[in-house]
Amino acid sequence: MLDKFQEECGVIGIYGHPEAAKLAYLGLYALQHRGQESAGIVTCEKSRLFVEKGMGLVADIFTEDCLARLPGDIGIGHVRYSTAGSSLLKNAQPIVVDYAKGPLAVAHNGNLVNSKSVRSRLEKEGSIFQSTTDTEVIIHLIARSRKEGFVDRLIEALMEIKGAYSLVILTENSVIGVRDPYGVRPLILGKVDGCYVLASETCALDLIEGTYIRDVEPGEIVIINSDGIESRRLFSVNKTAFCIFELIYVARSDSIFFEKSAYAIRKEFGRQLARETAVEADVVIPVPDSGTYAALGYAEESGIVYEKGLIRNNYVGRTFIEPKQSIRHFGVKVKLNVVKDVIFGKRVVMIDDSIVRGTTSRKLVTMLQNAGAKEVHMRVSSPPTIYPCYYGIDTPYKKELIASKYSVDGICTFLGATTLAYLSLEGLFKSVEFGKENFCTACFSGKYPIKLPCFFKI
Amino acid sequence: MLDKFQEECGVIGIYGHPEAAKLAYLGLYALQHRGQESAGIVTCEKSRLFVEKGMGLVADIFTEDCLARLPGDIGIGHVRYSTAGSSLLKNAQPIVVDYAKGPLAVAHNGNLVNSKSVRSRLEKEGSIFQSTTDTEVIIHLIARSRKEGFVDRLIEALMEIKGAYSLVILTENSVIGVRDPYGVRPLILGKVDGCYVLASETCALDLIEGTYIRDVEPGEIVIINSDGIESRRLFSVNKTAFCIFELIYVARSDSIFFEKSAYAIRKEFGRQLARETAVEADVVIPVPDSGTYAALGYAEESGIVYEKGLIRNNYVGRTFIEPKQSIRHFGVKVKLNVVKDVIFGKRVVMIDDSIVRGTTSRKLVTMLQNAGAKEVHMRVSSPPTIYPCYYGIDTPYKKELIASKYSVDGICTFLGATTLAYLSLEGLFKSVEFGKENFCTACFSGKYPIKLPCFFKI
Amino acid sequence: MLDKFQEECGVIGIYGHPEAAKLAYLGLYALQHRGQESAGIVTCEKSRLFVEKGMGLVADIFTEDCLARLPGDIGIGHVRYSTAGSSLLKNAQPIVVDYAKGPLAVAHNGNLVNSKSVRSRLEKEGSIFQSTTDTEVIIHLIARSRKEGFVDRLIEALMEIKGAYSLVILTENSVIGVRDPYGVRPLILGKVDGCYVLASETCALDLIEGTYIRDVEPGEIVIINSDGIESRRLFSVNKTAFCIFELIYVARSDSIFFEKSAYAIRKEFGRQLARETAVEADVVIPVPDSGTYAALGYAEESGIVYEKGLIRNNYVGRTFIEPKQSIRHFGVKVKLNVVKDVIFGKRVVMIDDSIVRGTTSRKLVTMLQNAGAKEVHMRVSSPPTIYPCYYGIDTPYKKELIASKYSVDGICTFLGATTLAYLSLEGLFKSVEFGKENFCTACFSGKYPIKLPCFFKI
Amino acid sequence: MLDKFQEECGVIGIYGHPEAAKLAYLGLYALQHRGQESAGIVTCEKSRLFVEKGMGLVADIFTEDCLARLPGDIGIGHVRYSTAGSSLLKNAQPIVVDYAKGPLAVAHNGNLVNSKSVRSRLEKEGSIFQSTTDTEVIIHLIARSRKEGFVDRLIEALMEIKGAYSLVILTENSVIGVRDPYGVRPLILGKVDGCYVLASETCALDLIEGTYIRDVEPGEIVIINSDGIESRRLFSVNKTAFCIFELIYVARSDSIFFEKSAYAIRKEFGRQLARETAVEADVVIPVPDSGTYAALGYAEESGIVYEKGLIRNNYVGRTFIEPKQSIRHFGVKVKLNVVKDVIFGKRVVMIDDSIVRGTTSRKLVTMLQNAGAKEVHMRVSSPPTIYPCYYGIDTPYKKELIASKYSVDGICTFLGATTLAYLSLEGLFKSVEFGKENFCTACFSGKYPIKLPCFFKI
């Protein structure tokens, strides 16, 4: 899964720390894998908000000067990979507004499914939107609410929206965390130097030497202010639906879920994959970097030697200029190269975590064959991705998902591989050791836990 | 060996290809690991040279517009990590001049040891230098020569210089490759679309779909022009002295040396290391990315499980801003993170390819211990680095090399590791399967094959 | 009046011309004197708006590439010098929104006096503002209106606002010009290549080879669309109040008002000033460039020789760095220099169009004296500026206006001049040859034709 | 003479002032009219040179940060408009080198006529040039000299060059001023805060509050160091040849020459022109800004009213984008506009200081006629420019000079003017009140005081 199509967003919030902006910056840096398109930090001092946003990477956007323009001891941050709204600076988050009740900033991870209809209604009543993000809908709903306290206005707004959302909100005197009733996207609560922190993943705590307290619960609102921390319930749902793809691909491998690292979970996927889809071979190689952990598990379980047969180029830039007399597989070649003497004459098992369009996998199979591989057995550490995600993972439309068009045999033919096999859904959950009923598996099963409007094009 | 101290330079040359600039660009991209400070390409059309240089990475410097300003079918390129001359754009190579006999551009990988005295003599005679690179000395010597043909002028110039140099030279009608008599730095000859190519490593050929022909020999001058290819001998030396560190660290793992990939050679170092320095342990982990291949070999040979216990952050930027309330091991932590459940309660073997100052290794040992490692056994896949390099590898002065100050036991104490062991010099060459007498091992042995001026501070 | 404090804004609109963006660009270039802080152009093609804005000068912001991103045959533009709203890109105009009824862009010259109270009311009802400009208030009022047609919604909105406004509005199929009922700011209608053009001044027509048709009338709405041109009346007022300062300073000297150029009008001010305030002297010099035309008139009428005794530096940059050992009158000196032999031993009449704070004038008087002037008689071609403007001219608060604190004698003492005299209000209007009752003279008389809210700080 | 073709260069030098860089910066700012292409300052502290150069205007290049990187109490500066060497940053001056005897920087105003042959000889001997400026020849000659002291090496170098040069040179302990034996370009000596200053014109002293001491004499070398000031003679020539065009156009109007301002001299040209070429007319207008002073003189002498009939746009940018349906005289129109009511129905005398190609003048004549001028009498305050300059004024080749192709009548026909007349050579020198034999008048007379190599294309 070389293609950069599954990233989503990362959020962070800090309350009461004298270096709120710097901690937010480091937290975002640790969450960079969740979005590389844009990043932003908002802090608050004396009821005034300070905003810095930019396109690109956290380490490039936030210079010393830039952080110096972010005073105050409360702040929130966001890294974004656009899944809704086009890729413009004006869509960079956190979204900041001044409305009748004061300043407000919101950072959102996830995707709403009814934002279009709500937006349309609000516009008819005279609201003017400044961005095309679904997040702005939430803000307008808050501004429209006639409730007295901020949290009540927030709850009234949330009652109208449907979809996946982990929110971190900054008001002039509080930081608030919200997780949608299904808990689709992660959000955790921790502490650093005695101050509360909200973040998408535990890896953000590691870098700033914080400690993990607990997950924000599905449907929970956590309000952090000068009175301490308070928890309110949005409303309850019978079941939760945590995104299984967070474990398969999105999360950083050192982040902790259900008391295990994503690394350990993914390696277990690989072991289970070896059990389910064993094959005679000389060498196991990962598709870097997405297949690495499953490949280690597969190699260990199967006893076949693990090698890094594909080398990733560390200096990949944004674009590459190709000669007119074009180079075969140019797009993949500038990123990866085959180590020939590791592959030549070998029966190769190539592991990846998923197959989306299949085009990159096909090029890799060919590159291995050209390098002299006798056989290429592709193994995938998750079930076939048949359905698109509407909850924040940037998958393509259904017709572009190869597994929605072909059987496993058909895909194998398309790839030109010797054999192809996927991890079963049962195998997947056996590895997770946590009830399947708690997860969203829509991309494999087509069972969407949060109802979609009928106009959604699947 | 996390620290970026050993890179040197990479060179490329193309003769007679309609897309000379684009091939040079892709070649430099593949050689980017040899220097990330600056890059430059010079092409020639109708006796006029065209130059584009910049600070930073190849993929950032050379845009479509930039390449369009480089017409012509012959060209040379250079990526640089400064080992001589300070890090300024004016020192970026290729160095281009117009002298009495026409335009000339030179790209240089290596380091001269007598450039100061030659420069001083030339300046006394009225020459004016525009850069502080030792490469410019070669150009002034060429300009001063009274010989008729260019190659004779070049040879006269080379007779006066001592040190390590692999040169690619562009004149208005030829591309010339030169390798010093000891062959310290690599330089290979290949072909692409029927045109000759010179490059530092074979990996540059892979990306542009070229084929490897042979190494340029130590002391050889290869002249490529409209008459085809011609070879001349500079003068012979009894022995060659190829830099062993090219195999240990510098070269890209998929480049071929003596018919084997650097990957295979490094893995064999790891196997030999396991044979020489076996230890009871639960897990073998590499220091990413320098220890990866040796760690794979070590794990395979020892039968101990291989894990990626240290995760590298893929989004490392140029600088990081630290909070005032400083974070332990901040500099290392922004680059690496420990995967705790892979390490906790384990006896760990940590593999790296070398230890220079020892400060990073010490931090990693502590990080592993803090993550719950029961024992940390450090293993190094080369002998202790005791002496600095004067031939183009950017090692620090002797006093900063930890192995020049302490015994192996002393270093182990400094690192705080449970045990420490290095690969022996014999083991190293057993793995290479190519006579030790052909290599420069000065950094391990202090035996410098090319005599150093007495003022060199070792 | 060297200080750059009186500029305001310039607007332009083009309907139905294949090169709408280019004409808008040239029109704005000709209107650049009305605002140098930011500029913007919005065009419309197939119901979609295209926007380009930037900080700085028109000629720097709009490159060939930039104009190529502005397709369509209708467009509007704006140059801005902030009189309301702080100086940020987000406040650059035209302001563009997408609201329920489609896209909309508005360019505004002038200043509203009741925007705060309207904004506050709208925010209480849930509107969220994206800028701090008073122009955005108009847009929200339009978006809130329940009327059917756009012009009816616009009229409903305009009924709620008070102040000075010349608007050029772009909808997906029309360009609309509006002038407030008092006609405080100018707005003219012209034609180029058979297409209608709206602009702040006639000089915009000259550059694009257009022809002047007529002024947009006070209180008139001019709608230009595929049906041609239509005029509607906002509502009538008994009297108009065209800003007299447009004639004294703001407008470009070659723009036409009441069938005369501002040049001719200003020269007549100078002649009248000579009649009213004659003095024995050797030389008449202008404060460049503001006093030039009045000085020419003064010299002609008085028969005293006209000289350019103060030379303006043509290369004045944004900021200047002063030595620590500071230079007297540094800020003025980097802009102007005295030509000594024109001044030495002379009785000098120095002419300017107005005096605001008096600090610059005082420095100039001293510079002339230091250069050897025997006497310095300051003459001002308008009455004393005693009251601030609230209708779009960026005058300082009353307490900073020197004429609000001192009598003419007091000002003369402050300046250190030999004598000081102003043009009388009667003399001013005698020169204009157009009834005094048609003008706003609030800055001289304190009679504000549009009622100010009581909280305005005069 | 709207076209920017006559600018040349400006130089400045400061010795012993704690704010040397800031004074150099302000001096260059005052000399900006002598060159707007690039600027540079070099200072020296503890034998080390510090350099800052850039393309563009002084006020844009030298920020506070930039000046902070220029420590030391001695420095020199240069503004450049390329007359020799193409317009690249590498040609920006001062040219700085490190040669055997230490660091050296040279700033040059003027043009050498034998630089090609000297350069060619030096290159044959092995010198390598880094720029294409003729100034670098001087530096190589200095570096080649075997003389002991710097001044002797400098004199040996100067003996080999021919042409026009006013030099300001920086060594590690001195600032040196040199003026060629003919004194073609100006160079003056002054003092500020007790420290010596060298500059191209007196206007540089005015801004920094310095006092004028005397001109550097033709053929003089002025050495300023810790011993004070010393003067040496290069060698004497029978006659000097100060460029008459400095008085006509190049110099800033407030600079002093022969105890009079350029302003006064130019106005006298205008008076004399009126005496020689009287005509019945209603109005005298200058071509802005070059004809301003002569027009004032002409109006005064003739008694005809002076008007600014052409208004210059103050915001002219680097380039302008023209509509496809092109605008007549677009290039001139974006810079100038006619004030119609000043011109309509009038007999106009239009004054300029010279006519080069005639194309701009022709457009202006047409613009005036289109605006309703009954007659357009062009008057030029210098004789016809028939021959190109080889001493540093950037005139075009002879064939492009309209006066070399046509008689005065022929030019008048080309311009479409009613009449045309030039100031006579005798009239010119009558106005200067300083012997004609002291000036270079080659551009009018073809008598080149410094012999040109035969290959010069006149």
Side-chain angles (χ1 to χ4, degrees), chain C residues 34-61:
Chain C
R34 297 184 73 86
Q36 298 94 44
E37 187 183 276
S38 65
I41 296 175
V42 182
T43 59
C44 182
E45 190 187 50
K46 292 178 186 154
S47 301
R48 196 179 145 204
L49 299 194
F50 297 83
V51 189
E52 294 288 331
K53 297 182 194 179
M55 301 302 285
L57 297 180
V58 170
D60 296 333
I61 296 167

Side-chain angles (χ1 to χ4, degrees), chain C residues 29 254 263 267 307 334 337, chain D residues 254 263 267 307 334 337:
Chain C
Y29 169 69
D254 53 344
Y263 181 122
K267 196 168 169 190
E307 297 276 10
V334 295
N337 196 20
Chain D
D254 54 344
Y263 180 120
K267 195 168 170 190
E307 296 277 11
V334 295
N337 197 21

